[in-house]
Amino acid sequence: MVATASTPTPAALRALHTTVIGWYEGNARDLPWRTPDASPWAVMVSEFMLQQTPVKRVLPAYAAWLERWPTPAALAADAPGEAVRMWGRLGYPRRALRLHAAATAITEQHDGAVPDDHAALLALPGVGEYTAAAVASFAFRQRHAVLDTNVRRVFARAVTGVEYPANATNAAERRTAHELLPATDERAATWAVAVMELGALVCTARGPECGACPLFAECAWQRAGCPPYQGPARRGQTYEGTDRQVRGKLLAVLRDAHGLVEQGRLDVVWPDAIQRARALDGLVADGLVEPVGPGTYRLPQ
Ligand code: SF4
């Protein structure tokens, strides 16, 4: 494609954009955060939730969250522990605290309106490079390189010709993403979501459906004969037996309790006392659980 070492010509870029955006228009999923009436706050909530949780699990949580907290000010008025409770089983619950902190900053510093400026978004607590670009792009239709895991995988294969991207986003990927951006805001915003959708639906991590891919004829990885990945070991997603699993079990007790929880109720969730104590210490250190006395805990107030 999508040639690599040299910058693609403007005509090649336009053809690429037309191909991918055309595919998107015919294949995009109908998701609530993509509808015209989705507020910038709704887009921000979806981006926090989608970072490490699949769409199917996010959908009901997203709807419930926005019904309870339709604005940043509504969330900021509640305790952070309520955000942790509503986060439920989406996983990686520190995102709930970060979203609450962002809502508080938006309420206090931006009159309750999600800022449309990329730098202002990036300055919000809990908002990193990806989320700032995604909200600016999807909610405000601006031109930004939006590099999530799906986009990075598509570029790794179609542009660079390797099966998987590096473990962490690097300068070369950012350069590629910028080079491929359409010139106008509106088209760049559509391009961003279109490449992301292609990665989510077709160029998937384990079973890319290359025969159904609009980039098949030009894909660098295909043209190289689909060489297997040869980089450093990829991060695994093991869960069973990890501290993450123990943290999830402890937090579930606190979420369901609606009040103070005595140590004894936590001690029964996991047999290994050392691992259990380590997981609880971690939850306290992360601000997800508050000790309120000897052996008594609650969600943060
Ligand atoms: S042809 Fe296959 S590997 Fe290449 S971009 Fe499409 S789905 Fe991904």
Side-chain angles (χ1 to χ4, degrees):
M1 125 171 211
V2 186
T4 58
S6 57
T7 306
T9 64
L13 266 183
R14 278 196 300 275
L16 170 69
H17 299 149
T18 300
T19 298
V20 174
I21 290 172
W23 171 86
Y24 175 74
E25 287 169 350
N27 295 277
R29 288 168 294 179
D30 189 12
L31 298 172
W33 44 85
R34 290 184 186 159
T35 59
D37 63 344
S39 67
W41 169 240
V43 172
M44 179 176 269
V45 169
S46 75
E47 287 302 332
F48 269 77
M49 291 184 170
L50 289 163
Q51 271 168 34
Q52 282 153 310
T53 308
V55 164
K56 202 172 150 195
R57 284 173 53 207
V58 164
L59 283 167
Y62 166 87
W65 190 280
L66 289 174
E67 190 176 333
R68 179 165 178 186
W69 297 308
T71 63
L75 174 58
D78 250 330
E82 286 306 299
V84 175
R85 195 189 313 282
M86 277 293 278
W87 199 256
R89 296 185 178 277
L90 286 179
Y92 297 100
R94 271 177 289 183
R95 291 179 291 169
L97 287 183
R98 292 187 189 128
L99 189 48
H100 186 277
T104 303
I106 291 167
T107 305
E108 292 173 354
Q109 299 162 21
H110 299 281
D111 292 330
V114 175
D116 62 2
D117 175 68
H118 182 270
L121 284 163
L122 198 53
L124 294 172
V127 173
E129 180 186 339
Y130 166 76
T131 306
V135 173
S137 179
F138 303 149
F140 299 110
R141 312 298 296 170
Q142 295 173 7
R143 182 177 183 271
H144 295 284
V146 182
L147 274 169
D148 82 335
T149 51
N150 287 317
V151 174
R152 295 180 63 224
R153 189 170 57 252
V154 172
F155 288 165
R157 292 174 181 166
V159 181
T160 313
V162 295
E163 190 174 11
Y164 296 111
N167 273 337
T169 308
N170 59 40
E173 288 179 273
R174 290 192 187 93
R175 200 163 46 244
T176 297
H178 279 285
E179 281 175 5
L180 296 179
L181 270 179
T184 65
D185 279 348
E186 179 60 32
R187 197 146 171 89
T190 306
W191 162 256
V193 71
V195 178
M196 195 175 287
E197 192 75 336
L198 187 64
L201 298 184
V202 178
C203 194
T204 57
R206 289 197 179 76
E209 293 181 47
C210 299
C213 179
L215 298 178
F216 180 77
E218 308 160 281
C219 171
W221 188 61
Q222 275 292 336
R223 287 164 80 164
C226 305
Y229 178 72
Q230 291 190 323
R234 300 177 65 231
R235 282 195 292 259
Q237 291 287 321
T238 46
Y239 182 70
E240 291 299 316
T242 62
D243 284 6
R244 250 188 82 216
Q245 185 184 17
V246 187
R247 285 165 60 106
K249 287 178 176 291
L250 294 170
L251 207 49
V253 174
L254 282 134
R255 273 200 315 266
D256 296 343
H258 292 275
L260 300 181
V261 170
E262 300 296 328
Q263 184 79 47
R265 290 174 63 191
L266 299 173
D267 287 348
V268 296
V269 305
W270 194 257
D272 180 340
I274 292 174
Q275 191 179 18
R276 200 174 60 234
R278 188 171 64 227
L280 185 57
D281 285 349
L283 288 170
V284 172
D286 288 343
L288 287 159
V289 170
E290 254 178 31
V292 287
T296 309
Y297 301 89
R298 68 182 177 194
L299 293 179
Q301 301 296 295

